Amino acid sequence: MLRRTITVSSAVLMIFGLVVVTWGFRDLPIDERPEWMVVQMVVWPVAVLGMVEAVRLWNYAQRGLQIRVDRTRLIVHGLPSLLIVVMPAGAFTTWFGSGTMWALLDFPTAKVMAAFWLAATLWASWEVML
């Protein structure tokens, strides 16, 4: 019952977070993204997805199973996603030029998607061992 309640609560919070993040980007020029949005884009999905995953991992630990972290996944997926999220707007355009595909990583949509990529990576990197 607790797991279902947390799952439903996390879904509601994720929808609320999507609305808040989207609202924050609605009328904002790409080069005027305040720093609180960076923090919000990273913390919100990590916390909300973590609600469900933490309960699942806790249940496994209570059953005596060992839990370990997949460091390779954290490095290969976590670092690029974190880099995309925290880089200031225009950084990729400056580095690679405006006509390249890498300049698209400066857009708010890419930053939000990278935040979810980071959240999924952080929580999917925990493995249960026998």
Side-chain angles (χ1 to χ4, degrees):
M1 181 65 178
L2 177 63
R3 183 175 177 155
R4 286 187 181 139
T5 303
I6 290 175
T7 301
V8 170
S9 299
S10 67
V12 169
L13 286 172
M14 189 60 79
I15 291 169
F16 179 71
L18 286 170
V19 169
V20 169
V21 169
T22 304
W23 193 313
F25 284 131
R26 188 182 59 194
D27 296 323
L28 194 63
I30 194 168
D31 60 343
E32 295 180 14
R33 188 186 66 187
E35 291 306 313
W36 65 267
M37 282 187 176
V38 173
V39 174
Q40 179 180 340
M41 283 189 305
V42 173
V43 171
W44 196 272
V46 169
V48 173
L49 293 175
M51 289 173 59
V52 175
E53 291 299 314
V55 170
R56 184 179 64 85
L57 293 172
W58 176 262
N59 287 336
Y60 286 140
Q62 293 290 54
R63 292 184 207 154
L65 298 173
Q66 187 179 22
I67 299 169
R68 75 173 191 90
V69 176
D70 183 355
R71 290 181 186 92
T72 304
R73 182 181 288 180
L74 283 176
I75 292 168
V76 173
H77 282 275
L79 289 180
S81 60
L82 181 64
L83 179 72
I84 292 167
V85 171
V86 299
M87 291 306 298
F92 291 102
T93 302
T94 302
W95 290 345
F96 300 107
S98 61
T100 65
M101 69 176 191
W102 303 109
L104 296 173
L105 296 176
D106 285 329
F107 284 92
T109 305
K111 302 233 181 243
V112 172
M113 289 173 62
F116 285 109
W117 179 23
L118 177 62
T121 299
L122 289 175
W123 289 110
S125 295
W126 295 88
E127 297 178 343
V128 178
M129 308 297 290
L130 295 175

